[in-house]
Amino acid sequence: MHSYSLIAPAKINLYLEIIGNRPDGYHELAMILQSIDLADQIDVHAASTQTIRVYCDHPQVPIDQTNLAYRAAELMARKFPDAFSNFGGIDITIKKRIPVAAGLAGGSTNAAAVLVGIDLLWNLGLTKSELEELGATLGSDVPFCISGGTVIATGRGEQLSPLPNLNHINIVLAKYRSLEVSTPWAYQTYRQVFGSTYIKDTKDLVARANAVHSGEMVKAIVAKDAAEISQKLHNDLEKVVLPAYPQVLQLRELFASQEGVLGTMMSGSGPSVFAIVESPAQAEVVKQQIRTAIPDEDLELFVTGTITTGIQIIRNS
């Protein structure tokens, strides 16, 4: 049976600004998204039956229709019924390394890999833009995960504008296994607390979202200045998540106190916290210092770094 193995990288937010309400009920966002080399492996196999099956080595990951990878395969079967009929069902195996429910787009990047894998498996010849358009119907982060790299994301996060790629910026990332933050809760709470500050005019919403193009963070990225990027990190959701989740706040404060840490922030709606550090050696030192300060086995720690790509094929057979 024909199959593809793909690498599905996680993402962090270097910048997340909530601008206002959109007519569709979502928030208008201005974000800078960045791929990192912490990644899952997704194996997509042609099956002999007209079914979709998901397997995963992580007990917290669902293997039914609630899994985004399953829904990605279901979407492809629905959009391309002739190919589905011709090639048969799909077996999807997820080898999980990205923490679950972490604000790192783990589910979205798995879905992105399934879209790319099935496109190859069924010889559909879809363009990256076509895959991103399909991905947007599954979730706001899926289009970014397909292409990866460094991008400005506006709208609800699905409108992408590439930035110069950042490579080899060193990162230490931390996440409590048992701690989850609901993304809908984070955005709804932010709306309740800060909704009065939202821009109301639709034209102004778009103009404000586009203003991040000339922001100081973009200048720092263009200059590939890790220290300056670290000083411009921004995430509006920290305003509601950190007060409600003291463990996340503690991680952030602990990272900020470490020598060699250039900057630190919560990623997305959390609860992952990352720190940008000066070098790979310093990253290992910081990781060990955090482990010593918090010996709790529930705390996962990773040394990772920025990369320039999204979904990558590593093998076909």
Side-chain angles (χ1 to χ4, degrees):
M1 286 294 177
H2 204 41
S3 66
Y4 282 88
S5 296
L6 307 103
I7 293 295
K11 68 90 184 160
I12 56 172
N13 297 77
L14 299 176
Y15 186 95
L16 191 162
E17 182 179 358
I18 299 172
I19 296 162
N21 287 316
R22 290 163 51 90
D24 59 11
Y26 288 93
H27 279 94
E28 185 72 29
L29 304 173
M31 301 186 291
I32 296 179
L33 308 178
Q34 175 63 55
S35 299
I36 58 175
D37 66 7
L38 179 63
D40 294 340
Q41 180 178 320
I42 309 298
D43 298 330
V44 180
H45 303 265
S48 56
T49 60
Q50 296 294 113
T51 58
I52 298 166
R53 294 177 295 194
V54 175
Y55 306 91
C56 184
D57 58 0
H58 195 298
Q60 285 179 265
V61 175
I63 56 173
D64 59 11
Q65 284 111 323
T66 61
N67 187 303
L68 264 183
Y70 186 107
R71 287 167 53 198
E74 204 172 40
L75 174 66
M76 295 295 272
R78 192 166 63 248
K79 289 286 186 180
F80 305 100
D82 290 345
F84 182 54
S85 176
N86 184 35
F87 288 96
I90 299 290
D91 286 346
I92 300 161
T93 302
I94 302 170
K95 297 174 183 175
K96 201 76 186 154
R97 187 162 178 259
I98 301 169
V100 176
L104 300 171
S108 294
T109 195
N110 292 172
V114 169
L115 294 179
V116 173
I118 292 178
D119 173 52
L120 295 167
L121 207 58
W122 292 353
N123 301 314
L124 296 172
L126 299 175
T127 65
K128 195 170 284 187
S129 294
E130 288 171 328
L131 286 167
E132 289 173 359
E133 191 174 329
L134 287 168
T137 68
L138 295 167
S140 300
D141 284 334
V142 179
F144 166 73
C145 292
I146 290 169
S147 299
T150 311
V151 308
I152 293 172
T154 53
R156 57 183 173 85
E158 84 289 4
Q159 298 170 20
L160 307 177
S161 301
L163 286 169
N165 279 320
L166 290 174
N167 204 8
H168 306 309
I169 288 180
N170 303 287
I171 291 168
V172 183
L173 189 141
K175 195 260 176 181
Y176 284 96
R177 285 186 183 88
S178 62
L179 188 61
E180 297 183 13
V181 176
S182 162
T183 298
W185 170 86
Y187 278 101
Q188 287 164 12
T189 304
Y190 191 92
R191 180 181 277 131
Q192 290 166 7
V193 177
F194 298 104
S196 61
T197 67
Y198 286 4
I199 293 172
K200 302 297 190 289
D201 184 84
T202 304
K203 290 182 181 177
D204 286 345
L205 275 180
V206 176
R208 185 65 191 86
N210 289 335
V212 76
H213 285 267
S214 58
E216 294 299 312
M217 173 61 88
V218 175
K219 293 178 185 176
I221 289 170
V222 171
K224 301 187 186 299
D225 186 334
E228 190 63 22
I229 289 167
S230 302
Q231 294 305 306
K232 305 302 180 187
L233 295 172
H234 176 83
N235 183 350
D236 274 339
L237 290 176
E238 286 190 327
K239 297 173 189 175
V240 294
V241 175
L242 296 184
Y245 291 86
Q247 286 175 293
V248 182
L249 176 60
Q250 179 198 26
L251 275 177
R252 197 187 187 292
E253 290 177 340
L254 190 58
F255 269 132
S257 69
Q258 302 304 311
E259 186 177 348
V261 169
L262 302 173
T264 182
M265 192 172 73
M266 182 182 78
S267 182
S269 58
S272 294
V273 178
F274 68 90
I276 297 176
V277 297
E278 295 170 342
S279 67
Q282 189 65 44
E284 293 292 344
V285 170
V286 170
K287 176 185 174 184
Q288 188 54 53
Q289 288 170 335
I290 301 296
R291 174 59 70 206
T292 300
I294 307 177
D296 188 345
E297 291 184 2
D298 192 45
L299 181 64
E300 294 180 283
L301 290 164
F302 305 88
V303 169
T304 182
T306 60
I307 57 173
T308 63
T309 56
I311 305 302
Q312 294 293 298
I313 306 156
I314 55 171
R315 183 174 61 252
N316 70 82
S317 57

